[in-house]
Amino acid sequence: MNRREFLRRTFFTGVVTVLSSGIVVPAMAAGKQAKLTVKENHFKFQEPLVRRAKTEVVIVHHVGGTDQDVSAAKIHQWHLANKWAGIGYHYIIHKNGTVERGRPMNAVGAHCYNHNHNTVGVCFVGDYERAVPTEAAIASGQILLAYICKTYGLTPGTKTIVGHRDLCDTLCPGRNLYSELTAIRSGVAKYC
């Protein structure tokens, strides 16, 4: 989505205020506005990113392997070391609820083999095979996923918000985050 389309959609679906610390994403729930600040990162990618032609699914991931609170910049370094263009996820959600941008939301990601062409990748920081996601991370995730669903006209459900393991042979997003997906979808639906 280009800037003009973003602003047009924003005008009709709510107000998005651009701040020095990122964007504030509004979502409506029972007539109340929920806001989420997204920290902008301006990563340099090793090759030009391709614009995604359609968006049909949001895929939920976890970092896995470490329960440390790693930054989007650290994940970008890891993905560059894998010889990828750069960070494969579109958003990173920290345990305290802070959200960072990875790839631009309209770019094809690199987060789910054979399923990057029509998806947005959202990664929760932590290893949710062992740890339990925080309430702050879940709350931010619900608002962010509602924003993504509204932006692309998706109805929150089991076909539009999935865990990485639903599409690939992996433990991701970890059993403890995966078990929260039904509640997350319900929370997203309240905002849409």
Side-chain angles (χ1 to χ4, degrees):
M1 171 181 357
N2 64 29
R3 188 179 192 311
R4 177 176 283 146
E5 176 65 11
F6 175 78
L7 291 173
R8 186 188 71 74
R9 287 185 185 192
T10 299
F11 179 76
F12 291 108
T13 60
V15 177
V16 173
T17 309
V18 179
L19 302 174
S20 60
S21 62
I23 62 171
V24 177
V25 180
M28 298 305 291
K32 295 182 181 177
Q33 191 175 29
K35 295 183 180 182
L36 179 67
T37 301
V38 177
K39 179 186 175 224
E40 294 294 340
N41 290 304
H42 302 284
F43 295 125
K44 291 186 180 184
F45 291 87
Q46 294 300 313
E47 55 192 60
L49 298 179
V50 176
R51 186 180 184 88
R52 201 173 48 257
K54 62 183 175 179
T55 304
E56 300 171 313
V57 178
V58 181
I59 302 175
V60 175
H61 300 267
H62 74 152
V63 169
T66 180
D67 199 42
Q68 299 299 310
D69 192 12
V70 297
S71 67
K74 186 65 165 175
I75 296 169
H76 183 62
Q77 289 174 348
W78 292 343
H79 289 186
L80 286 170
N82 285 340
K83 305 295 184 208
W84 297 351
I87 189 167
Y89 308 112
H90 298 90
Y91 293 97
I92 306 299
I93 301 175
H94 294 273
K95 292 181 180 199
N96 67 2
T98 301
V99 178
E100 288 187 85
R101 182 166 329 270
R103 284 190 182 210
M105 189 164 77
N106 65 357
V108 172
H111 56 89
C112 186
Y113 186 70
N114 283 333
H115 297 281
N116 291 309
H117 68 283
N118 67 332
T119 63
V120 173
V122 175
C123 183
F124 286 74
V125 173
D127 183 345
Y128 296 112
E129 272 298 300
R130 298 179 292 150
V132 174
T134 65
E135 288 182 25
I138 296 293
S140 289
Q142 289 174 342
I143 296 168
L144 178 63
L145 271 60
Y147 170 72
I148 294 167
C149 286
K150 284 176 144 185
T151 299
Y152 293 106
L154 305 176
T155 301
T158 58
K159 302 280 188 205
T160 55
I161 299 173
V162 302
H164 187 188
R165 68 172 56 180
D166 292 323
L167 302 172
C168 293
D169 184 20
T170 179
L171 295 176
C172 183
R175 67 175 173 254
N176 296 319
L177 180 54
Y178 191 79
S179 69
E180 293 290 328
L181 281 183
T182 299
I184 290 171
R185 288 182 196 106
S186 295
V188 171
K190 291 178 183 176
Y191 288 108
C192 288

